[in-house]
């Protein structure tokens, strides 16, 4: 894995950012996340991961209109994925599901392997 560039195979594409897109991102940021995270007491883990998702969504809202491309969004994802890399498999899987929700809102059909690269066991 070392030395591999997960962005080597990313097919960049323009994104169509409309007011509804920004509304969905704001709703995501304000709404509950990781509700299905299992565990006896997943609250600390959920809170930790939710903060990373909130920061990501804030970055997306701040820059998506100036950088409406799939590549730019995935680079923002990368920053957050680096932070959660040490989390357990279950947490990473649920984090990935949240990123897939964001991709759907943004009209990104595939991460071209970026999510798999970061969410797979190290």
């Amino acid at each position: 894995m070392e030395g591999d560039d997960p962005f080597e195979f990313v097919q960049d594409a323009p994104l169509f950012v409309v007011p509804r897109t920004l509304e969905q991102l704001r709703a995501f940021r304000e709404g509950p996340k990781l509700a299905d995270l299992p565990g006896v007491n997943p609250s600390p883990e959920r809170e930790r991961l939710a903060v990373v998702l909130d920061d990501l969504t804030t970055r997306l809202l701040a820059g998506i209109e100036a950088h409406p491309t799939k590549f730019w969004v995935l680079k923002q994802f990368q920053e957050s994925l680096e932070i959660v890399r040490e989390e357990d498999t279950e947490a990473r899987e649920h984090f990935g599901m949240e990123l897939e929700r964001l991709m759907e809102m943004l009209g990104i059909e595939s991460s071209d392997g970026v999510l798999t690269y970061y969410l797979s066991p190290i």
Side-chain angles (χ1 to χ4, degrees):
M1 277 294 224
E2 285 302 310
D4 291 346
D5 178 6
F7 284 82
E8 184 179 349
F9 301 106
V10 170
Q11 299 291 313
D12 199 13
L15 302 177
F16 301 98
V17 179
V18 295
R20 173 107 179 96
T21 310
L22 301 176
E23 288 168 23
Q24 287 179 313
L25 286 173
R26 282 188 206 95
F28 177 87
R29 185 178 58 189
E30 304 307 319
K33 293 163 205 69
L34 305 153
D36 300 332
L37 193 61
V40 180
N41 183 13
S43 293
E45 187 175 48
R46 182 180 296 127
E47 286 172 24
R48 205 171 49 245
L49 295 175
V51 165
V52 176
L53 287 167
D54 289 345
D55 289 347
L56 168 61
T57 313
T58 298
R59 286 197 314 275
L60 292 174
L61 282 163
I64 190 83
E65 289 179 294
H67 309 278
T69 68
K70 175 179 169 180
F71 193 86
W72 183 85
V73 169
L74 292 177
K75 279 298 199 181
Q76 304 312 304
F77 279 20
Q78 180 184 34
E79 198 173 311
S80 300
L81 286 161
E82 291 278 359
I83 294 169
V84 302
R85 235 178 160 172
E86 303 298 318
E87 297 287 343
D88 66 40
T89 302
E90 198 83 50
R92 287 196 317 272
E93 283 176 9
H94 283 80
F95 190 84
M97 287 186 252
E98 296 293 340
L99 294 182
E100 287 171 357
R101 282 177 55 201
L102 285 170
M103 286 172 49
E104 196 173 309
M105 286 175 211
L106 296 168
I108 298 173
E109 291 181 20
S110 169
S111 73
D112 297 331
V114 172
L115 292 189
T116 303
Y117 178 88
Y118 284 100
L119 298 174
S120 297
I122 298 172

